[in-house]
Amino acid sequence: MPHATLAAFLESTRTRVEQALDAWLPRPPRVPALVSESMRYSLFAGGKRLRPVLTLAAADAVARRGSAADERAHAAARDAALPAACAIELIHTYSLIHDDLPAMDNDTLRRGRPTAHVVYGDGIAILAGDGLQAAAFELLARQPPHPDAAVSGRQLRVIATVADAAGPAGMVGGQAIDLQAAGRAMGRPLTLDGEALRGMHGRKTGAMIRASASCGAIMAGADDATVAAADRYAAELGLAFQIIDDILDVEGDAATLGKTAGKDAADAKPTYPALFGLDRSRALAAECIERCRTTVHEAGLSDSWLWPIAQWMLDRKS
Ligand code: GRG
């Protein structure tokens, strides 16, 4: 393995992604100063970068399976996946800005800072989110045409995968169900049972987490069965991530989380602890992580960071 520990892999990946985001994000004078500043305020506020980590780890895993000792091939696969990793982080940050708006979740703390609309006002915060989303697709689409048609095909497949995950069948759809369940949309509030809760999270947070791993595998040239395995791994990881998020909302504190704690209960939101209790929720998250391990093993991707990332996810405190 190129890095001694998961911590080193996470650190080097975060640095790499943040440098690339800084270089790729358009700046003034091409972009008006205020919208540039507001986009960068939320983007460089210190997120975990889980999604880009997954993208690069999936690409690395596929390359490693192809040739365990060829470090240059592993690095080339991670390089090929870097635009997708950055685009997904741009979209994730847009979703956080919009989610925090008064018309949505109405929160004032995110990534340890006052939320974008608190600092810049609702209008500029909406535009910062819109700008980040458009910048993500611009970044994906402006990759120079590759002489190998197979690589250009992968780039197009990534654009379709990210758009599907971010759009109405994925994150936007999940957020709409969330608003309906919270009684903040037209019509009577939706009541979500365990299955419906899983479906809502599968769209709202799961779809982008799945796209993160799938796009890494796609850019590394994986076959369809391996892309599907990366997708299944990330679906389980995404569900565990959400269950743990719900648990942390009950047990965590704002200083560690970097966002308001106890908000789900205050807003009477349907959550895993509310439906199943804390102990059962912890067990459900652990079951998801165990299914991550089986999936990675069966796909022949055990010599990778995918399983350590899943274990880290289960233990996360923020
Ligand atoms: C506004 C269309 C639209 C969608 C918003 C992702 C989302 C949908 C809302 C986020 C609300 C939320 C707090 C969900 C819990 C899980 C989650 C996505 C937490 C934030 O992701 P992290 O923990 O954040 O990866 P960092 O800051 O580390 O990137």
Side-chain angles (χ1 to χ4, degrees):
M1 299 291 245
H3 306 276
T5 62
L6 176 65
F9 176 72
L10 295 177
E11 186 54 35
S12 68
T13 302
R14 285 173 183 144
T15 303
R16 184 100 203 283
V17 165
E18 285 177 15
Q19 285 171 348
L21 283 168
D22 186 40
W24 281 335
L25 204 60
R27 291 176 180 277
R30 193 174 152 229
V31 175
L34 184 58
V35 78
S36 170
E37 182 191 311
S38 60
M39 287 161 69
R40 285 171 179 270
Y41 172 82
S42 295
L43 187 61
F44 296 113
K48 290 182 290 298
R49 314 302 190 199
L50 164 68
R51 292 152 193 82
V53 161
L54 274 177
T55 306
L56 297 198
D60 185 82
V62 171
R64 198 169 288 280
R65 189 185 60 183
S67 53
D70 188 349
E71 295 284 341
R72 286 174 62 167
H74 310 161
R78 294 194 299 270
D79 285 351
L82 191 59
C86 290
I88 288 169
E89 185 65 18
L90 291 169
I91 291 174
H92 169 60
T93 304
Y94 122 70
S95 81
L96 297 180
I97 296 173
H98 282 198
D99 184 65
D100 289 331
L101 287 165
M104 299 244 190
D105 218 30
N106 192 20
D107 215 329
T108 55
L109 185 66
R110 170 72 67 184
R111 292 179 163 172
R113 292 181 170 187
T115 45
H117 68 272
V118 168
V119 177
Y120 294 100
D122 293 1
I124 292 295
I126 291 169
L127 294 172
D130 293 340
L132 288 166
Q133 176 166 222
F137 286 105
E138 187 201 350
L139 165 59
L140 290 176
R142 77 163 178 236
Q143 297 309 307
H146 201 280
D148 181 348
V151 176
S152 302
R154 287 173 206 156
Q155 291 169 338
L156 279 177
R157 188 172 170 193
V158 161
I159 294 174
T161 301
V162 173
D164 188 53
M171 185 175 72
V172 165
Q175 182 77 348
I177 296 171
D178 194 354
L179 285 177
Q180 285 179 285
R184 306 196 63 183
M186 62 187 294
R188 277 193 310 188
L190 284 183
T191 304
L192 304 184
D193 60 12
E195 195 50 37
L197 184 65
R198 186 185 169 116
M200 187 266 285
H201 288 314
R203 293 180 193 275
K204 188 176 125 178
T205 52
M208 286 298 289
I209 291 178
R210 285 170 57 193
S212 304
S214 301
C215 289
I218 291 168
M219 288 314 299
D223 57 22
D224 286 350
T226 305
V227 175
D231 182 75
R232 281 199 305 282
Y233 157 85
E236 296 293 349
L237 188 80
L239 183 56
F241 175 89
Q242 186 59 56
I243 297 172
I244 291 159
D245 209 72
D246 286 358
I247 294 172
L248 289 174
D249 190 74
V250 177
E251 294 187 330
D253 59 87
T256 314
L257 294 176
K259 63 179 182 177
T260 315
K263 198 152 184 312
D264 293 340
D267 294 347
K269 281 206 165 190
T271 64
Y272 277 86
L275 279 183
F276 299 103
L278 280 170
D279 288 346
R280 180 76 190 122
S281 297
R282 276 191 209 99
L284 285 170
E287 286 167 19
C288 293
I289 295 301
E290 177 55 22
R291 286 192 291 273
C292 287
R293 193 184 65 76
T294 329
T295 305
V296 163
H297 177 70
E298 287 173 359
L301 299 172
S302 296
D303 176 28
S304 75
W305 296 110
L306 294 175
W307 170 237
I309 288 169
Q311 291 173 296
W312 163 61
M313 179 54 48
L314 192 60
D315 293 337
R316 78 186 178 98
K317 300 282 178 267
S318 69

